[in-house]
């Protein structure tokens, strides 16, 4: 991969799209050598599609099919086709609320990244900020990682710590973590785009393996 060609990003999201906005703004500001070529959502009225439209970035609602937590086979095929058609180099999950596995991960092996609202490997899975608060940790945060077949288990690209304050509620802690996410995700994507990511411990293929070879 040439370092001078912007990395082509396909962003998948189901929600309000604040991480997408942070990434798009960082790209527009010149700090991330990438270009968002497609935003796709499994929710037809998701904020992320509205933000894409406002920025003139192609956005598509792609129906998820019959399951609640994953894509069915036809939907998986449609997502893969749309991302390939847009010649996406890196798939960026930004609040995409469905588990991607099997065929999808084989199609984009080592080229899918996610942001998770805890310091992995602590608190994988849903509502990680609430898990952290209930456990009583004093520090939590967020993690950008490659996606593998497990739940929030892929190689770690970057992390940002966030304090848990006395008197925090799930909402106040979640908001503080989301602020950190909006700082971390553009930096992590810039590091992937520049081939600067060093992963330890959990090797994957694709960008991670190439960076490790350097
Ligand atoms: C983020 O908090 C992220 O941790 C989780 O989904 C949320 C998406 O928020 N994976 P947004 O749609 O980017 O605002």
């Amino acid at each position: 991969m040439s370092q001078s060609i912007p990395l082509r990003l396909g962003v998948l999201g189901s929600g309000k799209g604040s991480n997408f906005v942070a990434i798009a703004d960082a790209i527009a500001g010149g700090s991330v050598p990438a270009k968002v070529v497609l935003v796709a959502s499994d929710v037809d009225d998701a904020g992320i599609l509205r933000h894409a439209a406002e920025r003139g970035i192609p956005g598509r609602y792609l129906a998820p099919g019959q399951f609640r937590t994953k894509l069915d086979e036809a939907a998986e095929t449609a997502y893969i086709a749309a991302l390939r058609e847009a010649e996406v180099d890196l798939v960026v999950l930004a609040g995409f609320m469905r588990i991607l596995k099997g065929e999808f991960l084989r199609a984009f092996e080592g080229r899918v990244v996610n942001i998770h609202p805890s310091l992995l490997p602590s608190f994988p899975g849903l509502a990680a900020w609430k898990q952290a608060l209930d456990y009583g940790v004093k520090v939590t945060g967020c993690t950008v990682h490659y996606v593998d077949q497990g739940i929030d288990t892929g190689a770690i690209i970057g992390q940002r710590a966030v304090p848990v304050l006395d008197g925090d509620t799930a909402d106040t802690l979640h908001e503080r973590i989301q602020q950190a996410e909006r700082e971390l995700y553009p930096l992590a994507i810039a590091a992937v785009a520049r081939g600067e990511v060093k992963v330890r411990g959990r090797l994957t293929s694709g960008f991670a393996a190439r960076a490790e070879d350097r």
Side-chain angles (χ1 to χ4, degrees):
M1 183 183 61
S2 163
Q3 302 298 299
S4 57
I5 298 172
L7 200 63
R8 295 172 68 83
L9 309 181
V11 180
L12 304 187
S14 310
K16 62 185 195 306
S18 65
N19 279 285
F20 161 68
V21 167
I23 293 163
D25 287 353
I27 291 171
S31 62
V32 182
K35 176 179 175 162
V36 180
V37 293
L38 177 66
V39 172
S41 181
D42 58 330
V43 177
D44 59 359
D45 61 350
I48 194 169
L49 289 177
R50 189 168 38 77
H51 287 301
E54 283 165 8
R55 287 164 175 73
I57 293 171
R60 287 179 70 177
Y61 162 66
L62 293 173
Q66 57 182 313
F67 303 121
R68 203 172 51 83
T69 58
K70 61 178 185 177
L71 301 175
D72 71 13
E73 210 178 309
E76 191 174 58
T77 303
Y79 274 77
I80 292 169
L83 291 162
R84 281 193 172 142
E85 196 180 305
E87 297 180 14
V88 163
D89 297 316
L90 186 72
V91 179
V92 175
L93 305 184
F96 191 62
M97 295 308 287
R98 287 170 195 269
I99 297 163
L100 294 168
K101 28 181 46 175
E103 221 25 58
F104 188 95
L105 294 184
R106 274 191 290 281
F108 296 99
E109 200 184 343
R111 298 193 292 136
V112 185
V113 298
N114 181 43
I115 189 153
H116 180 78
S118 76
L119 292 177
L120 290 171
S122 292
F123 312 123
L126 292 174
W129 62 93
K130 191 163 182 307
Q131 295 184 52
L133 194 63
D134 291 347
Y135 194 97
V137 294
K138 302 297 184 191
V139 177
T140 183
C142 51
T143 302
V144 176
H145 62 93
Y146 286 101
V147 175
D148 66 10
Q149 299 279 348
I151 305 286
D152 303 323
T153 53
I156 290 173
I157 297 169
Q159 294 186 300
R160 182 64 65 102
V162 170
V164 181
L165 303 180
D166 292 343
D168 256 341
T169 62
D171 285 347
T172 58
L173 180 57
H174 191 199
E175 175 51 33
R176 193 174 310 112
I177 292 171
Q178 286 195 312
Q179 279 172 25
E181 289 182 344
R182 296 191 282 264
E183 293 167 15
L184 177 66
Y185 218 172
L187 293 175
I189 291 169
V192 173
R194 296 194 180 105
E196 292 169 356
V197 175
K198 295 272 181 235
V199 294
R200 298 184 67 153
R202 303 187 61 86
L203 278 184
T204 72
S205 53
F207 288 115
R210 283 207 286 280
E212 188 67 15
D213 287 344
R214 287 196 171 96

